[in-house]
Amino acid sequence: DGGITQSPKYLFRKEGQNVTLSCEQNLNHDAMYWYRQDPGQGLRLIYYSQIVNDFQKGDIAEGYSVSREKKESFPLTVTSAQKNPTAFYLCASSLVFGGGASAQHFGDGTRLSIL
Amino acid sequence: KNQVEQSPQSLIILEGKNCTLQCNYTVSPFSNLRWYKQDTGRGPVSLTIMTFSENTKSNGRYTATLDADTKQSSLHITASQLSDSASYICVVTGGGNKLTFGTGTQLKVEL
């Protein structure tokens, strides 16, 4: 079945540690996104990639980094510079960039907590 | 500033009853509006998409309406089921294909 796979489902970070969240899609979508979801807030865009080997900062990119070396993969690294990383992280993809006729398909998220 | 406001914030209804969720937006220019359903601990799933020229669109027991003049949308759920318990998120696409997300309405359906 086509879809987006995020792993791990739960992740714990120690002080000063970088952690990487995995996102893989087999939908042959060009565009991929990372969002952060906090209680009582709408999804906020961290980074997006319109095509392989290209990515752009979203609204809250500080303390995060990404890479897009393969079309199928868009990993997100939460660095030690992100002082409040506890949140639910969602990866999404779409056939083309943005919110046009092509809906964004979401993975089932990774919940990151601080130890 | 582009904003999407949803109401109510949370709602509890009995199984079999109908309900209507509201979405007001100030996004301009407007491209389209989507409703997503997000089950607890899962990612959102698209229910409907509404463009400027569409007033009503149905997906099974879900019916979305759009009034582009007043910048309001609603999602009506008919004959609710326990599986409808979820967060419903309104998302508006504006200029540059930029998405603005609402904070969601948390719906709980009880026996």
Side-chain angles (χ1 to χ4, degrees):
Chain A
D1 285 342
I4 298 181
T5 302
Q6 290 188 241
S7 62
K9 192 162 182 64
Y10 299 95
L11 188 58
F12 297 91
R13 196 192 87 169
K14 297 179 181 179
E15 287 288 337
Q17 184 182 44
N18 293 350
V19 292
T20 298
L21 285 60
S22 171
C23 177
E24 303 279 333
Q25 56 100 357
N26 61 6
L27 298 166
N28 201 32
H29 285 172
D30 281 321
M32 297 189 74
Y33 317 79
W34 274 104
Y35 292 95
R36 172 178 170 141
Q37 187 173 38
D38 295 282
Q41 296 191 42
L43 273 67
R44 291 183 291 169
L45 183 63
I46 304 172
Y47 268 96
Y48 64 94
S49 168
Q50 298 189 53
I51 199 168
V52 66
N53 290 324
D54 176 75
F55 52 83
Q56 305 293 331
K57 292 182 179 180
D59 300 318
I60 55 166
E62 185 175 351
Y64 301 97
S65 66
V66 294
S67 63
R68 184 88 187 275
E69 297 175 0
K70 297 187 300 181
K71 186 175 185 177
E72 303 78 25
S73 179
F74 192 40
L76 173 74
T77 296
V78 184
T79 73
S80 57
Q82 173 49 246
K83 298 306 180 187
N84 183 24
T86 298
F88 189 52
Y89 290 87
L90 286 163
C91 178
S93 72
S94 60
L95 194 59
V96 294
F97 170 72
S102 167
Q104 290 192 1
H105 295 252
F106 287 84
D108 279 339
T110 293
R111 188 164 299 279
L112 176 62
S113 303
I114 295 294
L115 280 178
Chain B
K1 180 182 178 183
N2 289 337
Q3 286 187 315
V4 175
E5 296 185 353
Q6 294 187 242
S7 62
Q9 189 173 3
S10 62
L11 182 62
I12 301 174
I13 61 174
L14 294 177
E15 187 180 30
K17 298 296 186 183
N18 303 335
C19 68
T20 300
L21 314 180
Q22 299 289 343
C23 173
N24 296 338
Y25 61 92
T26 60
V27 176
S28 183
F30 173 86
S31 178
N32 61 56
L33 182 149
R34 285 186 188 276
W35 283 94
Y36 280 88
K37 178 187 179 188
Q38 183 177 21
D39 292 319
T40 301
R42 304 293 297 272
V45 175
S46 178
L47 293 175
T48 65
I49 178 173
M50 308 283 291
T51 58
F52 187 87
S53 59
E54 294 174 307
N55 299 119
T56 304
K57 184 171 283 188
S58 293
N59 177 3
R61 293 180 297 103
Y62 301 102
T63 299
T65 66
L66 175 65
D67 186 334
D69 291 332
T70 61
K71 299 188 177 182
Q72 296 180 327
S73 176
S74 66
L75 181 69
H76 185 76
I77 304 175
T78 304
S80 60
Q81 300 176 359
L82 295 178
S83 59
D84 292 330
S85 296
S87 178
Y88 291 83
I89 301 171
C90 177
V91 186
V92 179
T93 302
N97 268 341
K98 183 175 171 61
L99 278 66
T100 302
F101 288 81
T103 56
T105 291
Q106 189 68 43
L107 174 65
K108 185 174 182 181
V109 181
E110 295 182 338
L111 289 171

